[in-house]
Amino acid sequence: VQLQASGGGLVQAGGSLSLSCAASGRAFSSYAIGWFRQGSGKEREFVASVSWSGVRTYYADSVKGRFTISRDNAKDTVYLQMNSLKPEDSAVYYCVARSGSFAYTRSYDYDYWGQGTLVTVSS
């Protein structure tokens, strides 16, 4: 499966952005999808994930209550709605995929990585 992330940009602290991850290839609806991010000079970290059915979701503590992950299997797309953004949310955001039933949280769980989209939150 090939993944294309989009929707990044520059936003002021407290603002919102919505990222999209469009997939092409076979059987998107059977893939768990996740978002990871990597800020400048920082290690890559898990953000959120959703199971193939959309029933299971999991969030990093740092974004819980502010970010929402969802998917539309009819459109082969996963979304990450980001609200109440903070400067520390600034990073390149990557969407990732793997087959499976759960909402996986570790980077090595995932087989497919898209190119990133840059999110910059100004203070």
Side-chain angles (χ1 to χ4, degrees):
V1 63
Q2 293 181 325
L3 305 169
Q4 180 79 32
S6 62
L10 175 64
V11 64
Q12 288 188 331
S16 298
L17 278 176
S18 181
L19 305 185
S20 297
C21 176
S24 60
R26 299 171 57 186
F28 170 79
S29 60
S30 68
Y31 284 87
I33 303 293
W35 288 95
F36 286 76
R37 67 185 181 187
Q38 187 164 18
S40 179
K42 299 181 181 179
E43 293 187 353
R44 183 170 54 198
E45 63 175 349
F46 168 77
V47 176
S49 59
V50 60
S51 62
W52 66 270
S53 65
V55 171
R56 294 184 176 94
T57 58
Y58 200 84
Y59 298 92
D61 288 343
S62 59
V63 306
K64 202 172 294 182
R66 300 188 296 122
F67 290 12
T68 303
I69 189 170
S70 61
R71 66 188 298 159
D72 185 340
N73 286 342
K75 296 183 178 179
D76 289 351
T77 302
V78 169
Y79 306 97
L80 185 68
Q81 178 65 40
M82 307 186 295
N83 299 328
S84 302
L85 284 162
K86 305 175 181 180
E88 51 264 42
D89 294 318
S90 296
V92 177
Y93 284 71
Y94 300 91
C95 62
V96 296
R98 64 154 288 164
S99 60
S101 303
F102 302 104
Y104 303 90
T105 64
R106 299 169 300 187
S107 60
Y108 56 80
D109 285 328
Y110 290 91
D111 300 313
Y112 303 97
W113 289 70
Q115 95 298 345
T117 186
L118 177 63
V119 172
T120 303
V121 184
S122 63
S123 58

